[in-house]
Amino acid sequence: MNSPCACDDSLGDSIPSPPPPDTVVALLAGTNLSNLPEDEPHHEPQPQQPYDDDDYSGEIREYTGSFEGPEKTLEVMFRRINPIDEDNSSLSSDASGEINRVGLRTLSRPDLDRICGRARCTILSCVSNRYLDAYVLSESSLFVYPYMVVLKTCGTTTLLRCVAVLIELGRKIGLEIDWLGYNRKNFSFPRDQMFPHGSFHQEMEYLYSHRNLCERLNGNGYTLGPVTSDHWFVFVADHTKRYAEDNDTDRVLNIMMFDIDETVAKKFYYDQYEARIGPDETEEEATKRISIEQTKAAGIDQLVPGACIDPRAFEPCGYSMNAILFRTYSTIHITPEEGSSYASFETNQKVTNYTPLISNVVRAFRPKRFVMTLMADEGGLVQMGSNPLFEGNTSKSQIAVSFNKTNPGMKSTYKRSNLASIQVEDDVCCMMGNWILDDGPGSVSTQGAESQRPRGLSDANYF
């Protein structure tokens, strides 16, 4: 076995002890933990583990029959260690059409493979333009800008184990962390998760343990939404000095849809399509063809008009897609398994009114419920102006969507059951709402939010 890198050695047997629980609680500046249920004594997260935290360590767990669809998301912005004149060469092409790469876009494929390997996922394909590179992964997506990385992974991946490698590789090319954000919804199958994702507390402790490598990881954690239902965990360490061109992402919308329509889910099973067309079609060509067929069958291509699309179908089921248009990305991930069907749509498009886009996405997948989050800086909120989906009385906040092509006037209504928002660090605003499909399609519900509250409770609510 090769010896770990110098950066990983510092995280091996000598991994610094996490701060005591009281310190962690004090750092959770956005959450009143005294109101949380007494879940931790009864549902202890996995303990901090003594293995060497290097590229060759970590658990690998067998598939249990259920899949954790909602993604963990890590967004890291970098800045130059030695500031120099702004270099926008990455934003143009030379006479031959070759992309001039700078910053993180100069990282080699082995470097990117190493980052993904730490998270227990692999790169499957890539599309690029003048502004960014978008990689479809075996578990979700990776987006690389000159000075920003966005990594989304689902299932039982170990996303936060990438942080030390990102710090090391950034230093190799003269960059240091400027801003780090980590967020995820509470897990549906928390006991399937691997270290360091046993709980949100464990994730924060793991991030804090890297402060000997980067002092800018000293951030805060927050919980948005009801702890008895769907809620959203957010960690932000903000020491940013934004660059006008390179860090051009001031808001991110994420729609996490659950219990998608069975007829829609069936479109993402591989065996619903002809496996091979003729003896000359290779397995790779068949996968590419089926990926395109699934994209068109579900109308996904219509959700990202004008964008460069990179779809991927999985066997026996599942689907991922990246789309890039100028500086923006959109990404879709689908796990259609019965009992845990899920689809997500995320984009950093700078849209003044998200309502048409949200309606189109929900219409494509017809979920029984969805969670919607929006993370934006104050400048992004000013550009958006009115934000009706995250404002107003809950009983009046509704989305009417037509599922009937022959009778578009017949609409089903989604009602917002709750809303949470908070301002974190200097200027980052986080909003999160839960939406539930009314039982009576074709009419707007007048029932109170109390009737929309999900019945039953499990330990999944608290992780």
Side-chain angles (χ1 to χ4, degrees):
M1 179 180 294
N2 296 328
S3 61
C5 64
C7 174
D8 291 338
D9 281 339
S10 64
L11 289 175
D13 292 333
S14 61
I15 183 169
S17 300
D22 290 344
T23 303
V24 176
V25 171
L27 289 169
L28 291 175
T31 304
N32 184 355
L33 294 183
S34 63
N35 293 330
L36 292 180
E38 293 292 329
D39 61 294
E40 290 297 340
H42 306 289
H43 307 290
E44 289 190 10
Q46 301 165 32
Q48 294 285 348
Q49 305 203 5
Y51 64 72
D52 289 341
D53 194 13
D54 57 37
D55 293 350
Y56 313 101
S57 63
E59 300 175 80
I60 297 178
R61 293 190 179 177
E62 297 295 328
Y63 177 60
T64 62
S66 56
F67 189 81
E68 189 71 57
E71 299 88 355
K72 313 172 185 83
T73 302
L74 179 66
E75 180 177 332
V76 186
M77 292 184 181
F78 291 79
R79 66 185 179 200
R80 300 178 186 87
I81 296 174
N82 297 312
I84 57 176
D85 293 336
E86 188 73 17
D87 180 2
N88 289 328
S89 61
S90 64
L91 306 183
S92 62
S93 304
D94 60 24
S96 65
E98 188 77 16
I99 297 174
N100 298 315
R101 301 176 185 274
V102 298
L104 297 168
R105 298 187 75 188
T106 65
L107 291 176
S108 66
R109 176 60 183 266
D111 288 335
L112 298 177
D113 287 338
R114 184 176 166 214
I115 293 170
C116 294
R118 294 273 293 182
R120 301 297 181 220
C121 57
T122 57
I123 294 174
L124 301 179
S125 60
C126 174
V127 291
S128 299
N129 63 15
R130 295 167 58 196
Y131 307 98
L132 75 152
D133 305 308
Y135 299 86
V136 172
L137 307 179
S138 55
E139 281 82 14
S140 299
S141 297
L142 166 66
F143 302 96
V144 181
Y145 289 80
Y147 299 100
M148 182 177 74
V149 170
V150 180
L151 185 54
K152 294 176 64 69
T153 63
C154 56
T156 57
T157 50
T158 53
L159 176 59
L160 291 181
R161 296 183 70 240
C162 301
V163 172
V165 176
L166 287 171
I167 294 171
E168 177 203 343
L169 294 177
R171 285 175 178 167
K172 279 177 53 178
I173 55 177
L175 303 177
E176 61 185 357
I177 287 182
D178 197 26
W179 188 97
L180 183 144
Y182 170 73
N183 68 83
R184 66 170 175 84
K185 180 190 167 297
N186 58 301
F187 293 127
S188 299
F189 309 101
R191 301 199 180 281
D192 291 344
Q193 294 299 313
M194 298 183 289
F195 176 85
H197 297 285
S199 71
F200 188 47
H201 283 184
Q202 188 181 79
E203 290 166 328
M204 287 192 300
E205 289 172 354
Y206 185 76
L207 284 168
Y208 292 143
S209 74
H210 291 71
R211 286 179 294 185
N212 66 317
L213 301 179
C214 179
E215 62 183 12
R216 293 189 177 88
L217 293 182
N218 188 21
N220 293 312
Y222 307 85
T223 302
L224 287 83
V227 295
T228 53
S229 183
D230 293 321
H231 51 278
W232 189 33
F233 296 113
V234 177
F235 176 91
V236 173
D238 188 356
H239 304 271
T240 188
K241 295 179 181 178
R242 290 184 176 85
Y243 297 99
E245 296 295 332
D246 297 324
N247 293 337
D248 192 23
T249 55
D250 54 8
R251 53 188 179 271
V252 177
L253 176 76
N254 190 10
I255 308 171
M256 295 171 275
M257 297 165 280
F258 301 85
D259 299 323
I260 62 178
D261 185 82
E262 292 182 3
T263 58
V264 175
K266 188 176 292 186
K267 296 175 182 178
F268 300 101
Y269 278 82
Y270 208 85
D271 61 8
Q272 296 295 306
Y273 303 84
E274 190 172 354
R276 299 282 284 272
I277 299 179
D280 296 331
E281 186 180 51
T282 65
E283 183 176 343
E284 182 178 349
E285 290 170 341
T287 298
K288 185 174 181 179
R289 171 180 53 80
I290 292 173
S291 301
I292 295 173
E293 290 177 359
Q294 289 185 358
T295 302
K296 294 184 177 298
I300 289 174
D301 54 328
Q302 299 175 30
L303 299 176
V304 286
C308 175
I309 300 177
D310 184 17
R312 177 77 181 203
F314 294 93
E315 294 187 77
C317 63
Y319 174 92
S320 289
M321 183 280 294
N322 290 336
I324 56 176
L325 181 64
F326 301 111
R327 293 184 176 89
T328 68
Y329 70 82
S330 299
T331 184
I332 290 176
H333 303 284
I334 302 163
T335 57
E337 289 96 326
E338 185 177 359
S340 59
S341 63
Y342 169 82
S344 68
F345 175 91
E346 178 177 301
T347 185
N348 64 350
Q349 295 179 53
K350 296 196 291 185
V351 180
T352 54
N353 181 5
Y354 284 105
T355 304
L357 175 62
I358 294 167
S359 297
N360 290 337
V361 171
V362 172
R363 181 183 297 112
F365 296 100
R366 308 177 192 177
K368 292 182 180 178
R369 64 184 177 91
F370 64 90
V371 178
M372 186 159 55
T373 66
L374 178 68
M375 182 179 287
D377 59 23
E378 291 180 342
L381 293 179
V382 170
Q383 291 177 1
M384 288 175 59
S386 176
N387 188 9
L389 296 180
F390 289 100
E391 294 175 355
N393 188 287
T394 294
S395 63
K396 296 180 180 179
S397 184
Q398 300 170 336
I399 300 176
V401 180
S402 175
F403 293 154
N404 192 326
K405 293 183 179 180
T406 60
N407 186 3
M410 180 180 294
K411 295 185 177 181
S412 296
T413 302
Y414 290 87
K415 182 177 178 182
R416 194 184 70 205
S417 60
N418 53 65
L419 173 68
S421 63
I422 193 170
Q423 179 168 324
V424 304
E425 304 305 317
D426 291 334
D427 69 342
V428 178
C429 300
C430 300
M431 304 178 187
M432 179 259 190
N434 290 320
W435 303 76
I436 300 174
L437 179 64
D438 277 351
D439 291 331
S443 62
V444 176
S445 172
T446 58
Q447 295 177 336
E450 198 70 24
S451 65
Q452 302 295 337
R453 200 170 287 168
R455 297 182 176 88
L457 190 63
S458 72
D459 62 0
N461 295 123
Y462 303 122
F463 291 83

